Amino acid sequence: MSAARPMVERIDKLRHPVAIMKDDELGEVLGSLREKSKSLEDLAQRVQDGRKPDVLAAGRLLERSLFHLERAATGPAETGPVKAEVGEMLDIEIEEDLLEANRQIARVNREAFEKFGVRTVDVMGAIGSGKTSLIGAMVEVLSKNFSVGMLGGDVATSIDADRVRQSGAKTIQINTGKECHLDANLVRRALDQLDLSGLDILFVENVGNLICPSEFDLGCEKRLVVVSVTEGDSMVVKHPIMFLDADVVAINKIDMAESFGTDVGKLESDLESMNPRAVAVRTSVRTGRGLDELLGALSLG
Ligand code: MG
Ligand code: ZN
């Protein structure tokens, strides 16, 4: 892979600022990164054709990590809030390559889902919005008539996947490590462990985060965003990107709206003006409200 050589060179360049920092732990991390990056070229030579998308995606992620590492090591310390100008936020070239690689793999996933007739939902939402409970409640209803699966994206644990398994789904855990979102390649790898021919419906629970998951198409048919009334009534205007691509939005924990003083109508009208195509459904796992409507909106009912 062409990404290997520039990585070695760039890590070499990082030695200077690291020496200035005199930070043993950081030096150790960069040292080991440097060693590993040397063997990347050798590894890349031996990649078989079928695994090239994996390597490409991994290379993009490494590139991006390295970009952030460089910035952190060589950039000036910032004080006070920094406002990013348009086009300045990220290394656009790297970001675009990464997203393009992701789109290609998402296409492969989508074709696989279509081939086996599996209905798929990418479930996104903040930590604590109730994604897992809502999936569990849907699985309980759906598993009476369908074979249901769930891929659970989480930084480190399998707590959520274990919970949904108890509701009757075949679950596979994806641990993302430090990544704060799922990407199409992680999903593709998880699919290697799942017999799609025996599956009717697949939920993919994304990592709890309202920022970047929306940028990474996983190849799912529908995108469900879960927002809890406990998060306040400005969530839609605060996270426009997330809601722009949503097919369905569950306004969850609706039984608690009054005690939290949340204006549910505002969430709905914000969504309506931002993305009129999206269907909003008021839900509560505790009372069961809106579950049928939600399944209908996801075309799963
Ligand atoms: Mg969860
Ligand atoms: Zn992320």
Side-chain angles (χ1 to χ4, degrees):
M1 268 301 117
S2 58
R5 177 162 291 285
M7 258 194 75
V8 177
E9 287 165 3
R10 286 163 69 188
I11 288 170
D12 270 336
K13 280 189 203 146
L14 282 174
R15 284 160 73 199
H16 177 60
V18 169
I20 292 170
M21 280 183 232
K22 289 198 175 84
D23 184 325
D24 287 351
E25 209 178 334
L26 186 59
E28 214 172 280
V29 169
L30 288 174
S32 108
L33 199 58
R34 186 165 176 274
E35 282 312 306
K36 284 189 181 128
S37 67
K38 277 185 187 165
S39 62
L40 278 182
E41 279 186 272
D42 177 49
L43 276 177
Q45 302 299 325
R46 289 187 278 137
V47 174
Q48 290 169 12
D49 272 0
R51 305 304 287 185
K52 276 183 181 162
D54 281 344
V55 177
L56 188 63
R60 300 297 187 211
L61 289 171
L62 281 170
E63 269 287 306
R64 193 167 61 137
S65 305
L66 192 61
F67 168 74
H68 286 290
L69 188 63
E70 274 179 333
R71 281 252 301 232
T74 59
E78 305 280 6
T79 50
V82 177
K83 211 167 183 275
E85 302 298 327
V86 172
E88 198 188 60
M89 191 64 192
L90 281 166
D91 186 321
I92 298 298
E93 226 170 281
I94 291 174
E95 189 71 1
E96 273 311 307
D97 283 355
L98 170 77
L99 292 175
E100 179 50 34
N102 185 76
R103 271 192 288 273
Q104 286 175 19
I105 302 169
R107 217 169 293 141
V108 174
N109 292 346
R110 187 167 284 116
E111 281 166 12
F113 295 141
E114 281 169 6
K115 180 180 165 197
F116 291 103
V118 183
R119 318 296 304 271
T120 49
V121 185
D122 178 2
V123 185
M124 298 175 280
I127 293 172
S129 57
K131 296 182 294 300
T132 312
S133 311
L134 205 52
I135 292 171
M138 287 191 282
V139 168
E140 239 165 75
V141 175
L142 293 167
S143 60
K144 289 174 191 150
N145 299 308
F146 302 102
S147 164
V148 189
M150 183 254 203
L151 301 181
D154 229 317
V155 173
T157 69
S158 67
I159 296 168
D160 286 359
D162 296 343
R163 268 169 71 195
V164 174
R165 187 173 299 125
Q166 288 166 9
S167 306
K170 294 164 195 158
T171 62
I172 290 178
Q173 183 62 43
I174 305 175
N175 284 138
T176 58
K178 280 187 175 170
E179 282 295 325
C180 42
H181 56 267
L182 286 179
D183 63 36
N185 192 52
L186 284 167
V187 169
R188 197 181 81 97
R189 282 174 47 204
L191 293 181
D192 288 346
Q193 299 177 41
L194 206 61
D195 177 17
L196 286 181
S197 67
L199 213 58
D200 302 310
I201 295 164
L202 179 68
F203 290 101
V204 181
E205 181 179 345
N206 219 309
V207 181
N209 170 4
L210 270 180
I211 316 280
C212 47
S214 64
E215 285 190 88
F216 292 83
D217 181 11
L218 306 180
C220 291
E221 185 183 333
K222 298 259 190 211
R223 299 185 117 190
L224 167 65
V225 176
V226 182
V227 57
S228 158
V229 297
T230 60
E231 300 169 86
D233 40 34
S234 303
M235 289 305 277
V236 176
V237 282
K238 275 187 187 167
H239 301 281
I241 308 282
M242 201 68 184
F243 292 93
L244 273 173
D245 278 336
D247 298 298
V248 180
V249 174
I251 302 176
N252 199 27
K253 306 188 191 176
I254 198 73
D255 53 306
M256 286 155 85
E258 208 171 308
S259 46
F260 275 81
T262 304
D263 183 352
V264 178
K266 180 183 181 313
L267 282 169
E268 287 166 341
S269 61
D270 286 347
L271 181 66
E272 169 70 28
S273 51
M274 188 170 291
N275 176 5
R277 196 180 51 84
V279 180
V281 185
R282 300 182 179 197
T283 57
S284 165
V285 174
R286 195 189 290 171
T287 67
R289 180 173 168 187
L291 272 184
D292 289 344
E293 201 188 327
L294 180 61
L295 291 172
L298 292 167
S299 315
L300 300 175

